[in-house]
């Protein structure tokens, strides 16, 4: 006992130092703890660090009080500021690499936007966390209830971030609890947002073991309940993986091409033929003179070729000549559509083509969820007058497709096409009228170089496969290309910035998952009861600072 008491006293003293910090020290602690939290994201996956940083957020909010006599709004400012600073650190630490995209495209008209992406985007996203912590501080019950309340409001804030203004759920906090297939399986039950709520609870739970203010039996019971939820998630994951039998679709052999084309190399004038030849050469590796093919379905990345395929019949003929009989090419491509009359401007889509072994286009899908500022310019009438434009090398940007689709493909189950950014949206990965049997994600992460961005993108795509119970084939220009089974296990992959191909079988789809059937309903129910538990079980109004 003589050893444990000093240790607990030391922890309590450290907690009090965080709680009572003020001014620039408080700001430094909040931003620093938020930035360290980003180490839980790919490619690092150091999720245990959150057991240290998330209790810091709770303690900072314990001390986020206002002077006596402050008005109703002013009383919320310290809590808002604390949540915003923590969120700013988290989003800056997790999204700094977006600035690399502005260096991949030459021209001062684009490069000057880098500060907007690197600083203003995290600052804007952190507003969701600031508003959530301010809302929590209105009530701020004692003890374990404050942990439940804060987890609920932050999870709702993350859900709103994923939906408002078309949504940007990149690096949603739930991903920190899913660095490996064992820890991802709960997404098949409750999806990303349910796992986000669980992540906040789990990583804040250690604060219940610090100090005496949290209340004896209540805090211990709450800690044990949260621990049981965490262990239950791990147990469910272990059981689900142990019972999987990994069947493969007979007769389907996939080949994903990863050409590693730099943006300036791909879009330089006069490079059309060289780019096409690079794809044809990589795709035909391993073919024999007797006509045997190492693949039945070939997949190229997003906007693989720097021209409109329909304007280049010779390119389609070359593709048909390369494809062995009975094989199919699925490729990203820009697609043009003429205007209503000769004088009207045409439309251009970021699309996926399905091309038969005769070089004839069988079907096409147009990207529905475009990237703001990347593929189109929001409020373009105003922003274009300020000299801003979208980053794609296309005047006017892309037009959005109408809806998600399920596309048939010869000799294989029908698939759900998703282009780049579209795969990050939970609950919006498939056409609900006709469930596909696998997902195809084509992307070009070459904009972001060798940074955490492509690793984070891959993780989000893998979690979509688990949520939907569908295998995934992901072809990326510079990587990371991979074949993933419906349990989130990578069957075959090619590392970032490694030129080559990925060959492998197509896993069978699972039956419809609970998340695919019920969507975010379980998350909504958990939020409702969590809020009731935290607020109706007893609370004290937020105190003023003496």
């Amino acid at each position: 006992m003589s050893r444990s008491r000093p240790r607990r006293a030391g922890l309590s003293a450290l907690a009090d130092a965080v709680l009572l910090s003020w001014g620039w020290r408080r700001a430094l602690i909040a931003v620093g703890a938020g930035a360290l939290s980003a180490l839980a994201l790919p490619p690092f996956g150091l999720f245990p660090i959150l057991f240290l940083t998330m209790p810091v957020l709770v303690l900072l909010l314990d001390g986020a009080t206002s002077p006596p006599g402050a008005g109703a709004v002013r009383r919320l400012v310290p809590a808002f500021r604390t949540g915003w600073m923590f969120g700013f650190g988290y989003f800056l630490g997790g999204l700094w690499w977006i600035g690399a995209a502005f260096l991949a495209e030459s021209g001062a008209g684009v490069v000057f936007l880098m500060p907007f992406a690197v600083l203003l985007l995290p600052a804007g996203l952190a507003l969701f966390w600031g508003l959530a912590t301010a809302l929590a501080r209105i009530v701020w019950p004692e003890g374990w209830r404050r942990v439940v309340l804060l987890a609920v409001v932050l999870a709702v804030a993350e859900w709103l971030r994923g939906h408002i203004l078309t949504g940007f759920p990149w690096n949603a906090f739930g991903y920190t609890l899913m660095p490996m297939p064992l820890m991802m399986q709960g997404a098949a039950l409750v999806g990303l947002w349910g796992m986000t709520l669980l992540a906040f609870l789990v990583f804040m739970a250690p604060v219940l073991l610090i100090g005496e203010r949290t209340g004896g039996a209540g805090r211990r019971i709450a800690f044990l309940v949260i621990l049981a939820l965490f262990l239950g998630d791990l147990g469910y994951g272990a059981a689900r993986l142990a019972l999987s039998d990994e069947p493969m679709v007979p007769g389907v052999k996939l080949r994903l091409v990863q050409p590693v084309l730099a943006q300036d190399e791909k879009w330089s004038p006069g490079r059309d033929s060289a780019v096409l030849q690079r794809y044809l050469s990589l795709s035909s590796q391993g073919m024999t003179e007797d006509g045997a093919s190492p693949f039945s379905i070939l997949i190229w990345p997003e906007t693989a070729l720097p021209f409109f395929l329909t304007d280049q019949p010779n390119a389609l003929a070359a593709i048909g000549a390369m494809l062995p009989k009975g094989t199919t090419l699925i490729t990203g491509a820009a697609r043009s559509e003429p205007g209503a009359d000769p004088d009207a401007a045409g439309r251009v889509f970021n699309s996926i083509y399905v091309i038969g072994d005769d070089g004839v286009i069988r079907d096409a899908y147009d990207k529905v969820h475009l990237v703001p500022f990347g593929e189109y310019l929001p409020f373009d009438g105003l922003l274009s007058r300020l000299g801003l434009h979208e980053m794609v090398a296309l005047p006017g940007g892309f037009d959005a497709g109408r809806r998600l689709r399920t596309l048939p493909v010869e000799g294989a189950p029908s698939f759900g096409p998703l282009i780049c950014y579209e795969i990050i949206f939970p609950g919006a990965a498939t056409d609900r009228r006709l469930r596909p049997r696998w997902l195809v994600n084509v992307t070009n992460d070459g904009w972001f170089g060798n940074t955490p961005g492509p690793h984070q993108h891959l993780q989000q795509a893998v979690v979509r496969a688990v949520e939907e119970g569908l295998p995934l084939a992901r072809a990326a220009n510079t990587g990371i290309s991979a074949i993933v089974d419906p349990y989130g296990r990578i069957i075959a992959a090619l590392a970032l910035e490694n030129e080559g191909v990925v060959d492998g079988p197509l896993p069978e789809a699972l039956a419809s998952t609970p998340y695919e059937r019920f969507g975010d309903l379980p998350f909504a129910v958990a939020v409702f009861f969590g809020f009731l538990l935290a607020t109706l079980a007893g609370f004290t109004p937020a105190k003023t600072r003496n």
Side-chain angles (χ1 to χ4, degrees):
M1 292 182 66
S2 61
R3 292 182 179 178
S4 62
R5 284 182 179 176
R7 185 178 301 150
R8 294 187 63 184
L11 287 175
S12 296
L14 184 59
D16 287 342
V18 172
L19 187 151
L20 297 174
S21 62
W22 210 252
W24 66 267
R25 291 182 178 84
R26 168 172 284 261
L28 185 61
I29 292 171
V31 175
L36 286 174
S37 299
L39 292 174
L41 297 166
F44 312 105
L46 302 178
F47 68 92
I49 200 169
L50 296 173
F51 290 116
L52 300 175
T53 59
M54 293 310 293
V56 166
L57 176 59
V58 179
L59 294 170
L60 287 172
L61 288 170
D62 283 338
T65 54
S66 58
V73 174
R74 190 179 173 191
R75 285 200 299 269
L76 300 179
V77 170
F80 173 86
R81 187 166 52 228
T82 297
W84 181 88
M85 289 187 296
F86 192 99
F88 176 73
Y90 174 72
F91 292 117
L92 181 63
L95 293 171
W96 61 266
W97 50 266
I98 286 181
F102 297 87
L103 299 177
E105 180 71 23
S106 61
V110 174
V111 173
F112 93 95
L113 290 173
M114 185 189 293
F116 170 82
V118 175
L119 295 176
L120 294 187
L121 177 60
L125 297 177
L127 292 174
F128 288 94
W129 284 43
L131 292 171
T133 52
L135 177 63
R137 189 63 201 179
I138 292 175
V139 179
W140 206 241
E142 291 289 337
W144 61 267
R145 296 182 183 89
R146 78 197 199 283
V147 171
V148 175
L149 176 64
L150 184 58
V152 165
V153 296
L154 282 173
V156 171
E158 285 288 83
W159 184 91
L160 291 172
R161 178 167 73 88
H163 291 81
I164 289 178
L165 297 178
T166 77
F168 187 67
W170 196 286
N171 287 350
F173 194 74
Y175 290 117
T176 63
L177 195 62
M178 297 186 284
M180 61 188 75
L182 172 67
M183 301 172 71
M184 291 179 185
Q185 303 309 307
L189 296 176
V190 297
L192 171 62
W193 306 120
M195 295 299 288
T196 296
L197 176 57
L198 179 61
F200 280 123
L201 286 171
V202 167
F203 294 127
M204 291 178 188
V207 82
L208 299 176
L209 304 180
I210 301 174
E212 298 300 324
R213 72 183 297 276
T214 51
R219 67 179 174 84
R220 288 193 293 270
I221 292 172
F223 179 83
L224 291 175
V225 169
I226 295 173
L227 178 62
L229 289 174
F230 181 43
L231 294 178
D233 175 58
L234 295 179
Y236 174 73
R240 196 166 190 256
L241 293 176
L243 295 174
S244 62
D245 53 5
E246 303 183 70
M248 302 296 166
V249 178
V252 177
K253 296 179 291 183
L254 302 179
R255 167 165 286 186
L256 320 178
V257 174
Q258 185 168 298
V260 191
L261 286 163
Q263 292 302 109
D264 55 354
E265 177 186 3
K266 177 178 175 181
W267 297 104
S268 295
R271 292 286 299 169
D272 294 7
S273 179
V275 171
L276 174 60
Q277 187 55 46
R278 189 143 161 192
Y279 276 102
L280 296 177
S281 176
L282 286 169
S283 301
S284 59
Q285 289 181 8
M287 290 186 185
T288 60
E289 294 183 359
D290 61 3
S293 173
F295 62 84
S296 59
I297 296 178
L298 177 68
I299 305 177
W300 291 354
E302 177 186 17
T303 54
L305 304 172
F307 53 82
F308 296 119
L309 265 174
T310 50
D311 291 346
Q312 299 281 353
N314 290 338
L316 283 170
I319 290 170
M322 179 273 299
L323 289 174
K325 187 172 181 57
T327 64
T328 299
L329 169 65
I330 299 172
T331 181
R335 186 180 76 84
S336 64
E337 190 175 276
D341 59 74
D343 296 327
R347 307 174 70 197
V348 179
F349 301 91
N350 190 351
S351 304
I352 284 178
Y353 281 136
V354 178
I355 301 175
D357 59 12
D358 53 2
V360 175
I361 296 172
R362 301 282 196 263
D363 212 333
Y365 161 76
D366 300 324
K367 185 177 183 180
V368 173
H369 210 137
L370 301 178
V371 182
F373 299 99
E375 294 173 312
Y376 77 99
L377 187 65
F379 313 110
D380 60 337
L382 171 64
L383 297 182
S384 60
R385 288 197 293 271
L386 298 176
L388 304 182
H389 61 85
E390 63 284 328
M391 293 181 63
V392 294
L394 183 71
F398 286 112
D399 291 283
R402 294 182 179 179
R403 60 178 177 84
L404 292 173
R405 295 185 58 203
T406 297
L407 299 183
V409 59
E410 185 179 353
S414 58
F415 70 95
L418 293 165
I419 301 174
C420 189
Y421 183 69
E422 290 184 305
I423 196 119
I424 75 170
F425 294 92
T430 63
D431 181 356
R432 299 301 178 186
R433 295 167 301 179
L434 179 60
R435 184 178 187 243
R437 302 301 294 169
W438 56 301
L439 300 175
V440 172
N441 178 217
V442 298
T443 187
N444 178 18
D445 288 345
W447 292 96
F448 307 115
N450 191 357
T451 68
H455 298 274
Q456 294 170 4
H457 200 183
L458 174 65
Q459 185 204 26
Q460 294 173 70
V462 170
V463 171
R464 291 296 84 73
V466 177
E467 286 175 342
E468 300 292 337
L470 298 175
L472 165 72
R474 183 176 192 267
N477 172 23
T478 56
I480 303 166
S481 300
I483 300 171
V484 183
D485 78 3
Y487 298 97
R489 295 173 295 201
I490 294 177
I491 294 174
L494 192 57
L496 188 63
E497 296 189 334
N498 281 16
E499 178 185 305
V501 299
V502 177
D503 291 333
L506 174 64
E508 288 276 9
L510 302 179
S512 181
T513 63
Y515 180 72
E516 196 273 337
R517 294 195 300 272
F518 301 112
D520 292 332
L521 179 60
F523 168 69
V525 171
V527 163
F528 176 76
F529 283 105
F531 186 78
L532 287 182
L533 183 67
T535 57
L536 297 186
F539 70 91
T540 57
K543 298 176 181 178
T544 59
R545 186 170 184 258
N546 296 320

